[in-house]
Amino acid sequence: MFLQSIASALPPLSLTQREAWEVLRGAGVPDRLRPRSASLLETILLGDSGIERRHFALEDPRAIFSLDAEGLNRMFEREAPRLAGEALRRACSAAGLEPRTVDALFICTCTGYLCPGLSSHVSEQLGLLPSAFLQDLLGLGCGAALPMIETARGYLSANPDALVATVAVEICSSAFFVDDDPGVLISLCLFGDGAAAALWSAHDAGGQWGMNGFRSLHRPEHREKIRFVNSGGRLRNQLHRSVPGLAAAAVGQLFEQRTADPDRLVAHTGGRDVIDALEATLPGGPIAETRSVLRDCGNLSSPSVLFALERTLAGGHPELRRLWLTSFGAGFSAHACELHR
């Protein structure tokens, strides 16, 4: 299948890491922690994390830390459709198409739950036809965007004249949690909110990027090292210090299965240590666009790899012919695919 357009959306509120630290102080978060934990939080936010700023869906992010489980999910219910809809609207505009021409809509998320899912809300918001096929993918974590796109490819195989939209959206701030676990605190310092959308067709209109070579790798024996757990009805991110090495090893194994050598690597952001581990494992030098997304947005979870792809394609590199994309996260799972033109 062939990429028609790609676009992203971020909430208007953007905070530097130092400003985020001040928000946490204003919300009394350090006072809830042991001194050593509060010091770790301050060190990460005021140190060199590879992140300069992040975006948040609430106008006053201090309110996040006073919301109960219901309030956090209501925040997700309000903000996720809005952000996903904006990303898809921009993707349609970039392709010169009206949203009502979309025949199928696939949306992935892991930071909240709706029934009917986000696809129903976004379809209504953008005026998709009542006959549009709607599909929500849940529980795939940070790696979800690529298996979602592979699912859309299956739909296009059965419906070759269709126009398919894929949207990855996360309101990570609706899953912020505070306790003394280092993994929880690191998550509090890494994640931001965002959405990315892409349009796909089974037909190449000339010079478009085609997708193939999808691969997955699942390591359920490492499931407890990176996942959401339910704590009092709230999502709590469980993150082990071994994740950077685990991610690099899995991604390296997928890279060995590539069909051709890529001109550029495009990866999920993870965090600074994750990107360092990937660059040490994969040939080809720095993963520049991935680092720039981490710098400007933090870890956006599932949309991250699409943000990096958008920047790669917007970078004005006509010499690029092959891209290799990878995403990874809860499961533990890792995924890869190839784009070519």
Side-chain angles (χ1 to χ4, degrees):
M1 69 178 183
F2 297 89
L3 180 64
Q4 307 301 301
S5 65
I6 186 168
S8 59
L10 291 162
L13 177 65
S14 171
L15 298 178
T16 66
Q17 291 289 72
R18 180 172 290 275
E19 290 169 338
W21 167 244
E22 295 302 327
V23 166
L24 291 174
R25 289 181 61 193
V29 170
D31 299 332
R32 304 185 203 176
L33 302 170
R34 299 175 187 142
R36 184 175 180 179
S37 300
S39 178
L40 174 63
L41 197 62
E42 182 178 14
T43 298
I44 297 172
L45 287 172
L46 302 186
D48 180 17
S49 63
I51 300 171
E52 292 183 4
R53 59 177 58 247
R54 292 177 287 159
H55 294 254
F56 303 96
L58 283 184
E59 291 183 7
D60 182 4
R62 290 175 300 180
I64 294 169
F65 303 101
S66 62
L67 294 175
D68 59 12
E70 181 179 348
L72 289 169
N73 203 60
R74 286 190 181 278
M75 171 184 161
F76 176 86
E77 291 176 2
R78 181 180 65 251
E79 302 298 339
R82 182 183 304 171
L83 205 55
E86 180 59 27
L88 181 52
R89 192 176 288 109
R90 292 179 181 180
C92 289
S93 177
L97 298 169
E98 292 295 326
R100 65 183 287 108
T101 63
V102 171
D103 299 295
L105 171 61
F106 294 78
I107 298 185
C108 67
T109 192
C110 68
T111 47
Y113 177 75
L114 278 172
C115 182
L118 285 171
S119 62
S120 172
H121 297 260
V122 173
S123 172
E124 178 188 28
Q125 190 184 129
L126 269 67
L128 271 63
L129 294 178
S131 58
F133 178 79
L134 307 180
Q135 182 69 59
D136 294 81
L137 285 79
L138 303 174
L140 297 179
C142 291
L146 297 189
M148 170 182 63
I149 292 171
E150 175 68 0
T151 303
R153 192 164 74 97
Y155 179 89
L156 272 175
S157 296
N159 302 273
D161 294 325
L163 176 66
V164 174
T166 57
V167 184
V169 58
E170 304 291 2
I171 307 299
C172 295
S173 56
S174 68
F176 280 170
F177 199 93
V178 177
D179 67 21
D180 289 291
D181 181 84
V184 168
L185 298 177
I186 290 170
S187 299
L188 194 57
C189 299
L190 286 181
F191 286 94
D193 303 338
L199 294 177
W200 304 88
S201 168
H203 308 291
D204 183 6
Q208 294 176 325
W209 290 93
M211 180 265 200
N212 71 329
F214 177 81
R215 300 283 189 275
S216 276
L217 180 64
H218 301 282
R219 295 283 179 77
E221 67 270 22
H222 298 300
R223 183 180 294 130
E224 295 305 315
K225 293 180 179 176
I226 177 170
R227 60 167 295 199
F228 272 133
V229 296
N230 188 302
S231 181
R234 298 177 57 176
L235 293 175
R236 177 183 182 274
N237 197 33
Q238 196 160 281
L239 183 64
H240 193 267
R241 62 180 180 274
S242 64
V243 164
L246 180 62
V251 168
Q253 187 171 338
L254 289 173
F255 189 73
E256 292 175 357
Q257 302 174 42
R258 68 194 183 279
T259 63
D261 291 336
D263 300 316
R264 190 72 61 91
L265 305 175
V266 180
H268 164 54
T269 52
R272 184 198 62 190
D273 292 348
V274 171
I275 298 176
D276 287 347
L278 291 178
E279 290 179 341
T281 300
L282 301 173
I287 311 175
E289 288 80 13
T290 296
R291 281 198 183 274
S292 74
V293 172
L294 182 69
R295 180 194 66 220
D296 298 337
C297 308
N299 185 341
L300 294 160
S301 188
S302 65
S304 294
V305 67
L306 299 181
F307 270 71
L309 175 60
E310 181 187 25
R311 292 191 178 197
T312 301
L313 300 183
H317 302 289
E319 76 282 3
L320 295 181
R321 288 293 178 268
R322 288 188 174 274
L323 305 175
W324 191 81
L325 279 63
T326 185
S327 63
F328 40 86
F332 178 85
S333 62
H335 317 280
C337 72
E338 299 172 51
L339 293 183
H340 59 88
R341 63 176 178 180

